[in-house]
């Protein structure tokens, strides 16, 4: 089971949150990513999300996403649990993925409850000058991403805990593991007798308990792992 964070997508040109060049160096999360902020001023929250939606939809999956999809194809990876909202695992070909922080795949109207897929939300963002209005009731849509003061989608986080408890190895890629409850997942794997490997630039909360820690580029490390499997295939042919 792989557990990925914002660092798996930086090589696709999407900034992470907590590095010095990350998103929160520029935007205060309490003003842009909470339900309180959204209720107070949804148009302001969309001034943060509208450019983010176009950045995320323009981005392409990178070597790290491709390598995880390849590990799944080879039967070595059961599922990807991701904190990312960018849909890049799916676009790279991963089939079993769990999006514990939601995604930009859809948005919902808090007024009437109507849901809209991304392909319909993008023109609504454009038409609304940055803030998409609900075509049925005129309310401002909320992206189906989990804000800081919201609960995680129960089916997603339950499945993530189940996967973590059954994993023989949890491969953490590109996450500082500072956000709970996701940060607990590698500990669940360890408690159940599994192992943990970390591929991350910079420290993570689980480094001292990980069986392997590789401090490097997610794309380079995972691509090298797949290349070494391919070399084994060639040798055994
Ligand atoms: P984080 O910013 O806390 O941690 C990212 C980690 O990845 C950092 O330690 C960083 O040094 C490392 N890193 C950056 N680029 C890397 C690379 N190329 N190779 C290896 N490591 C690299 O992010 P997080 O742990 O995911 O937690 C924060 C929250 O950020 C999550 O809730 C997630 O929903 C959200 N987020 C998502 C996206 C996205 O969808 N792409 C982008 C930004 C933030």
């Amino acid at each position: 089971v792989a557990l990925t964070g914002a660092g798996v997508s930086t090589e696709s040109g999407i900034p992470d949150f907590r590095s010095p060049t990350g998103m929160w160096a520029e935007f205060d999360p309490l003003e842009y990513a909470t339900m309180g902020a959204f209720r107070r001023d949804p148009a302001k929250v969309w001034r943060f999300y509208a450019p983010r939606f176009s950045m995320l939809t323009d981005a392409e999956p990178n070597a790290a996403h491709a390598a995880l999809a390849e590990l799944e194809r080879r039967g070595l990876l059961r599922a990807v649990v991701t904190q990312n909202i960018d849909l890049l695992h799916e676009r790279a070909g991963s089939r079993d993925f769990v999006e514990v922080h939601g995604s930009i795949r859809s948005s919902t109207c808090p007024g009437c409850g109507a849901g809209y897929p991304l392909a319909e939300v993008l023109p609504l963002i454009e038409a609304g000058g940055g803030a998409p209005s609900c075509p049925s009731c005129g309310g401002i849509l909320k992206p189906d991403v989990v804000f800081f003061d919201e609960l995680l989608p129960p089916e997603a986080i339950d499945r993530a805990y189940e996967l973590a408890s059954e994993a023989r190895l949890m491969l953490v890629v590109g996450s500082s593991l500072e956000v709970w409850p996701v940060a607990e997942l590698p500990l669940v794997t360890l408690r159940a007798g599994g192992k943990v490997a970390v591929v991350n630039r910079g420290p993570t909360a689980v480094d001292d308990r990980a069986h392997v820690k590789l401090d490097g580029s997610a794309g380079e490390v995972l691509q090298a792992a797949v290349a070494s499997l391919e070399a084994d295939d060639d040798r055994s042919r």
Side-chain angles (χ1 to χ4, degrees), residues 5-6 10-11 17-18 83 85-86 101 175-176 200-201 216 218:
T10 54
E11 289 164 68
F17 273 1
R18 286 176 187 74
Q83 302 168 80
I85 60 167
D86 56 28
H101 291 167
S175 176
S176 59
N200 197 65
R201 264 201 204 117

Side-chain angles (χ1 to χ4, degrees), residues 30-48:
L30 296 182
E31 279 189 51
Y32 292 94
T34 64
M35 262 330 273
F38 186 79
R39 279 193 208 100
R40 263 193 313 279
D41 192 348
K44 178 177 171 184
V45 168
W46 273 104
R47 282 201 288 280
F48 169 69

Side-chain angles (χ1 to χ4, degrees), residues 94-174:
S94 282
R95 285 201 281 191
D96 195 349
F97 51 86
V98 183
E99 294 164 329
V100 286
H101 291 167
S103 78
I104 61 166
R105 185 174 295 103
S106 57
S107 296
T108 302
C109 176
C112 70
Y116 300 92
L118 180 62
E120 288 176 34
V121 173
L122 292 174
L124 291 172
I125 294 176
E126 190 88 14
S133 297
C134 174
S136 35
C137 78
I140 295 188
L141 304 182
K142 180 197 170 283
D144 290 338
V145 302
V146 178
F147 285 165
F148 279 94
D149 49 357
E150 286 187 293
L151 294 176
L152 305 195
E155 328 75 66
I157 194 65
D158 288 352
R159 173 107 205 283
Y161 272 93
E162 186 185 310
L163 287 165
S165 65
E166 291 171 3
R168 284 162 59 203
L169 173 72
M170 174 164 286
L171 174 61
V172 177
V173 186

Side-chain angles (χ1 to χ4, degrees), residues 3 83 100-101 152 157 161 178-186 188:
L3 171 61
Q83 302 168 80
V100 286
H101 291 167
L152 305 195
I157 194 65
Y161 272 93
E178 282 182 29
V179 177
W180 279 74
V182 168
E184 196 189 6
L185 294 173
V188 170

Side-chain angles (χ1 to χ4, degrees), residues 4-12 14-20 22-24 52 55-56 62 64-65 82-88 100-102 104 145-146 148 173-179 182 199-204 214-221:
T4 67
V8 82
S9 294
T10 54
E11 289 164 68
S12 295
I14 301 171
D16 60 12
F17 273 1
R18 286 176 187 74
S19 346
M23 210 95 61
W24 298 143
R52 224 165 130 52
M55 176 177 62
L56 299 183
N62 64 52
H65 300 106
T82 188
Q83 302 168 80
N84 295 346
I85 60 167
D86 56 28
L87 310 179
L88 291 183
V100 286
H101 291 167
I104 61 166
V145 302
V146 178
F148 279 94
V173 186
S175 176
S176 59
L177 295 176
E178 282 182 29
V179 177
V182 168
V199 178
N200 197 65
R201 264 201 204 117
T204 80
L214 295 171
D215 196 309
S217 141
E220 283 171 21
V221 171

